[in-house]
Amino acid sequence: MSTYLRLRAVPAPALRNSPAWLERLFASDAEFLQHRAGRCPEEVLDVCCPNQERIYTGAPPDAPGDRPQAQVVLGGRPVLRTDRREPPLLVLTAAQTRRVAGFLEHSDFDALWDLARDRLLPGYGGTIAEPETSRAFAMTHRELRTFYTHAAQCGEAVVKCRSKA
């Protein structure tokens, strides 16, 4: 069984604090939403998502007290699910989404990788596997940057859901 992290952009005025409403966001068909909205409202990360978070949390802060890098993958305000055994949903406001997008836009992936590589490589085959491991993390970084940049440009909030498939 694999773990996935689904990120969905939501128009800020439509965002609700209801766990049932937030869960329905992820029960709806992404293809239908894409056709209806004319854009991609969702990003899905595979099992490496907690490790992708390590790329960002090791980054130096942008400003004192402002750590948007900690919100890129697994950060946000937790909203408990109707089934309390499930991990909470995570919500970023439109303002938080803009800060994350700005952080990703101005981040140097190679510098982030250099800070995290020693903690990550042992779990992916060591230094011999570094080229492919680094490429995989870099690709996810680009996908996240594209997703957050688009959401920020549209003034959207982001809702995240961890699930098993």
Side-chain angles (χ1 to χ4, degrees), residues 12 19 37 57 75 90 96 100 108 116 119 135 141-142 146 157 162:
T57 56
L90 302 169
Q96 290 169 317
V100 170
D108 174 359
R119 290 179 296 160
R135 272 194 304 276
H141 172 76
R142 286 190 300 275
T146 299
R162 282 183 282 168

Side-chain angles (χ1 to χ4, degrees), residues 55-56 59-60 62 69 72 100-112 141 145:
I55 296 285
Y56 306 115
D62 287 343
Q69 64 269 26
V72 175
V100 170
F103 167 76
L104 290 172
E105 189 64 33
H106 296 99
S107 292
D108 174 359
F109 176 79
D110 292 330
L112 294 172
H141 172 76
R145 184 178 59 215

Side-chain angles (χ1 to χ4, degrees), residues 61-69 71 99:
D62 287 343
D66 185 18
R67 296 186 55 89
Q69 64 269 26
Q71 296 177 330
R99 284 197 306 273

Side-chain angles (χ1 to χ4, degrees), residues 70-134:
Q71 296 177 330
V72 175
V73 179
L74 297 176
R77 179 180 51 83
V79 175
L80 295 177
R81 306 211 16 209
T82 52
D83 180 352
R84 302 285 192 215
R85 295 171 295 189
E86 294 290 327
L89 298 162
L90 302 169
V91 178
L92 294 178
T93 65
Q96 290 169 317
T97 298
R98 282 191 302 276
R99 284 197 306 273
V100 170
F103 167 76
L104 290 172
E105 189 64 33
H106 296 99
S107 292
D108 174 359
F109 176 79
D110 292 330
L112 294 172
W113 175 254
D114 287 343
L115 288 170
R117 68 181 291 281
D118 291 339
R119 290 179 296 160
L120 292 172
L121 283 176
Y124 291 90
T127 55
I128 194 139
E130 184 170 6
E132 69 237 30
T133 304
S134 175

